[in-house]
């Protein structure tokens, strides 16, 4: 949610901007060997973010008028407003993370817990198109500020290992001949 007060103090604009991204992380994972069922790790890398959709929803402008109108309050609702043309389509971010693998059950099952922070590196707003949305500019008195997106992710997963080590036939023959 975002709220902005007009410079003169007679209006308040509120809205929610929703963005849908395709994120592609590339990172290095450093396992910390403890030789136990608890295996911690650290991650460092980057993420490529591609914007699929950006729109404003629940846009409202509340005008507080005085004098002849007797303090009348005017609320202006609207439909969703697309902002994709005013946003950078692709942006990089730095990714830092940590987690652990818990191998308590047997060699086939494990639980993974992972936490990551993505730190936006570039401005998401296309500066040349900052005031290009005429509806937001004239109806709501709003011009985009600079914006970087930082995220925190927490995930819990379940690992099932299907790999079963097989002894090659040559090794089986040697074992049988040695008996």
């Amino acid at each position: 949610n975002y709220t902005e007060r007009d410079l003169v103090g007679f209006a308040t604009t509120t809205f929610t901007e929703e963005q849908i991204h395709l994120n592609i992380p590339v990172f290095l994972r450093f396992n910390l060997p403890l030789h136990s069922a608890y295996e911690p790790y650290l991650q460092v890398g980057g993420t490529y973010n591609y914007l699929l959709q950006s729109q404003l929803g629940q846009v409202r402008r509340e005008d507080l008028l005085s004098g002849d109108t007797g303090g009348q309050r005017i609320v202006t609702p609207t439909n969703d407003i697309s902002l994709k043309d005013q946003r950078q389509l692709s942006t990089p971010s730095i990714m830092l993370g940590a987690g652990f693998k818990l191998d308590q059950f047997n060699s086939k099952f494990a639980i993974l817990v992972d936490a990551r922070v993505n730190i936006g590196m570039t401005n998401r707003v296309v500066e040349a198109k900052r005031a290009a949305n005429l509806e937001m500019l004239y109806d709501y008195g709003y011009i985009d500020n600079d914006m970087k997106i930082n995220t925190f992710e927490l995930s819990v997963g379940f690992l099932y290992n299907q790999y079963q080590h097989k002894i090659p036939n040559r090794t089986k023959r040697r074992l049988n001949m040695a008996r």
Side-chain angles (χ1 to χ4, degrees):
N1 268 347
Y2 179 82
T3 302
E4 180 175 298
R5 261 192 208 283
D6 195 309
L7 293 175
V8 186
F10 75 91
T12 302
T13 302
T14 59
F15 59 83
T16 302
E17 181 172 351
E18 296 176 4
Q19 295 185 353
I20 299 174
H21 294 96
L22 174 64
N23 298 331
I24 301 171
V26 177
F27 58 89
L28 296 174
R29 179 172 153 173
F30 303 98
N31 294 322
L32 305 173
L34 294 181
H35 304 292
S36 68
Y38 174 77
E39 298 176 26
Y41 58 86
L42 300 173
Q43 300 171 340
V44 62
T47 304
Y48 171 77
N49 310 297
Y50 184 78
L51 180 65
L52 299 173
Q53 178 181 345
S54 178
Q55 68 181 21
L56 294 180
Q58 305 170 8
V59 182
R60 291 172 36 127
R61 176 177 170 169
E62 297 180 23
D63 294 338
L64 303 174
L65 304 175
S66 61
D68 297 338
T69 60
Q72 181 181 3
R73 185 176 183 166
I74 300 171
V75 177
T76 310
T78 188
N79 297 328
D80 292 345
I81 299 171
S82 176
L83 290 180
K84 189 172 179 182
D85 292 339
Q86 292 176 254
R87 301 290 179 252
Q88 299 286 349
L89 291 181
S90 60
T91 55
S93 59
I94 294 176
M95 193 273 300
L96 303 170
F100 64 89
K101 177 178 148 186
L102 187 58
D103 225 353
Q104 289 253 330
F105 310 105
N106 60 30
S107 61
K108 283 193 165 261
F109 299 99
I111 295 175
L112 300 167
V113 177
D114 190 78
R116 297 180 188 174
V117 175
N118 287 308
I119 302 166
M121 299 299 297
T122 58
N123 185 9
R124 293 267 180 170
V125 176
V126 177
E127 293 181 22
K129 296 182 179 180
R130 191 179 298 271
N133 192 319
L134 299 180
E135 182 178 2
M136 287 301 291
L137 181 62
Y138 294 120
D139 293 349
Y140 299 99
Y142 176 77
I143 296 177
D144 267 337
N145 290 325
D146 289 345
M147 174 176 47
K148 292 181 182 179
I149 295 181
N150 301 325
T151 61
F152 174 76
E153 304 168 20
L154 180 65
S155 62
V156 178
F158 182 73
L159 179 70
Y160 175 71
N161 188 4
Q162 290 184 330
Y163 176 75
Q164 294 179 358
H165 181 69
K166 294 183 180 179
I167 299 174
N169 286 335
R170 287 180 285 156
T171 307
K172 284 183 185 177
R173 283 189 216 138
R174 284 187 205 145
L175 292 173
N176 287 337
M177 294 170 100
R179 290 185 193 173

